[in-house]
Amino acid sequence: MEALIPVINKLQDVFNTVGADVIQLPQIAVVGTQSSGKSSVLESLVGRDLLPRGTGVVTRRPLILQLVHVDPGDARKNDDGNGGEEWGKFLHTKSQIYTDFEEIRQEIENETERISGNNKGISEEPIHLKIFSPSVVNLTLVDLPGITKVPVGDQPQDIEVQIKDLILKHISNPNCIILAVTAANTDMATSEALKVAREVDPDGRRTLAVVTKLDLMDAGTDAMDVLMGRVIPVKLGLIGVVNRSQLDINNRKSVTDAIRDEHAFLQKKYPSLANRNGTKYLARTLNRLLMHHIRDCLPNLKTRINVLAAQYQSLLSSYGEPVEDQSATLLQLITKFATEYCNTIEGTAKYIETRHSLSCLFFAIVYSFFNLLHT
Ligand code: GDP
Ligand code: MG
């Protein structure tokens, strides 16, 4: 089953490159209010420091992040012959390879500023990034700007509506799994993430809730009821995580340390729920959901491809037969066209033949024009 995902990723690349939104493919998008920890969740899933995170508006363009699992033995060979373990590639920098994740983050920031300016502006044009690594599962993730209410900096007055539209554009795709991120130190009943997810997925068939900041809850409170689904039930489940705090980011705490500390925290605070929460469990759940999703989507996808193929085939045949006799001169083609034209008037030719002749004539004229240019 796992082999299916790289194929889907490749298809997505092709459609993105040709700028067509012809076939909607399964992917996982993160939604939630600004600073709820969306980028942090994605980053811990990737297992590397690569996304710009922080307080205030940080994610200002959608980021389409494809994780590609490579076997350790298949590590990329550098020009100097040294094997690279993990690397990234952006669509906008073509074949350039990034092995330094700090550089990847810098490139995301630069590319964000290039389109969205440097004063908190938001753009709906996505950045495409691929990460190849032996330590990731095959997933396509979309990081989105967070829901805000009040415009800041260069943001227009209707920023709330614009961001919501942008989010809806990505998550209304029925083949998208929604990761609705809510901070544990806010009331689940006020969760904008779940609200926006319900707009496009009222039955909750493709929404998974992630509860961040378990470590930041008020003294005397815990997330037991929330994690058990007693406050708001979510069909696919609620998974609690602990990401790195701003201080951890400033101190450059590694993802590995963060995951170890998260595990210790869960064991201590929620021993009965520890094996059904945390970043590792989230990654496994997501992979499983994606596989099921792709399997469910395949028959539909196949029908759509067949319909499209049939449409283009009939369009192609409406242009007529190709010119088979390459040696035919322009005069011969025009004579053939003229004869068929006369036949049409006399009522002895079929309509389609005239169409064939017309297209022959067109190609012949273009052909002669190029010949003229070359002589
Ligand atoms: P986004 O705007 O939703 O993408 O949020 P970010 O991932 O950029 O995180 C916003 C801030 O919250 C950052 O300073 C993070 O360090 C912090 N943060 C996110 N998740 C957690 C968490 O689980 N615990 C703690 N203590 N801080 C967190
Ligand atoms: Mg973010």
Side-chain angles (χ1 to χ4, degrees), residues 33-40 53-55 59 212-213 215-216 241-246 249:
T33 38
Q34 192 171 296
S35 298
S36 55
K38 299 177 299 299
S39 300
S40 302
R53 286 153 300 145
T55 44
T59 312
T212 55
K213 307 197 184 184
D215 58 321
L216 292 185
V241 296
V242 180
N243 298 314
R244 286 168 294 178
S245 65
Q246 189 60 46
I249 295 172

Side-chain angles (χ1 to χ4, degrees), residues 207-225:
T207 304
L208 181 69
V210 180
V211 183
T212 55
K213 307 197 184 184
L214 288 178
D215 58 321
L216 292 185
M217 296 195 69
D218 273 344
T221 61
D222 67 28
M224 208 66 183
D225 280 350

